[in-house]
Amino acid sequence: MNFFKKPGRILLLIMIVLAVVCPYRVHMYKTKIEEIKSGKLKINDMQYVADDLHPYSAYLMTVPYIIIEVALGSLYYVRTRD
């Protein structure tokens, strides 16, 4: 477990995991929106009309991940700046 003893390694590991999770979540949301638009998936209490949804709006889900990645990147820089 010498990997975790160096400063900032846990932050780096979290950043790598988030970099893998973010594209997966975007793909998942994009396919759900496409299923709603095609009619394969029906939602009874939907707030919006299915035609108003655009598959590329799933990319808006990357914004929280980008904010977290920037914050963790700056913390990693400060932590390893010896």
Side-chain angles (χ1 to χ4, degrees), residues 1 11 15-16 19 26 36 38 43 48-49 60-62 64-65 71 73 76 78:
M1 298 310 275
L11 288 173
M15 288 170 53
I16 292 170
V26 168
I36 290 171
S38 69
I43 299 175
Y48 304 103
V49 180
L60 291 173
M61 298 306 294
T62 62
Y65 290 104
Y76 179 75
V78 168

Side-chain angles (χ1 to χ4, degrees), residues 5-6 16 18 22 35 39 41 43-45 49 55 58-59 61 63-64 72 75 80 82:
K5 290 185 180 179
K6 292 185 179 179
I16 292 170
L18 285 177
C22 179
E35 287 176 357
L41 183 65
I43 299 175
N44 293 334
D45 297 331
V49 180
Y59 290 105
M61 298 306 294
V63 173
L72 290 176
L75 287 173
T80 60
D82 293 333

Side-chain angles (χ1 to χ4, degrees), residues 1-10 79:
M1 298 310 275
N2 193 17
F3 179 78
F4 293 113
K5 290 185 180 179
K6 292 185 179 179
R9 298 299 174 141
I10 295 175
R79 181 81 173 120

Side-chain angles (χ1 to χ4, degrees), residues 23-55:
Y24 169 73
R25 299 281 296 199
V26 168
H27 174 70
M28 185 182 67
Y29 287 128
K30 189 174 176 184
T31 55
K32 290 291 182 189
I33 290 173
E34 289 172 352
E35 287 176 357
I36 290 171
K37 283 188 70 129
S38 69
K40 291 180 185 176
L41 183 65
K42 300 279 185 186
I43 299 175
N44 293 334
D45 297 331
M46 199 162 111
Q47 297 175 354
Y48 304 103
V49 180
D51 293 334
D52 291 343
L53 296 173
H54 197 276

Side-chain angles (χ1 to χ4, degrees), residues 67-79:
I67 292 170
I68 292 170
E69 286 282 337
V70 168
L72 290 176
S74 63
L75 287 173
Y76 179 75
Y77 174 73
V78 168
R79 181 81 173 120

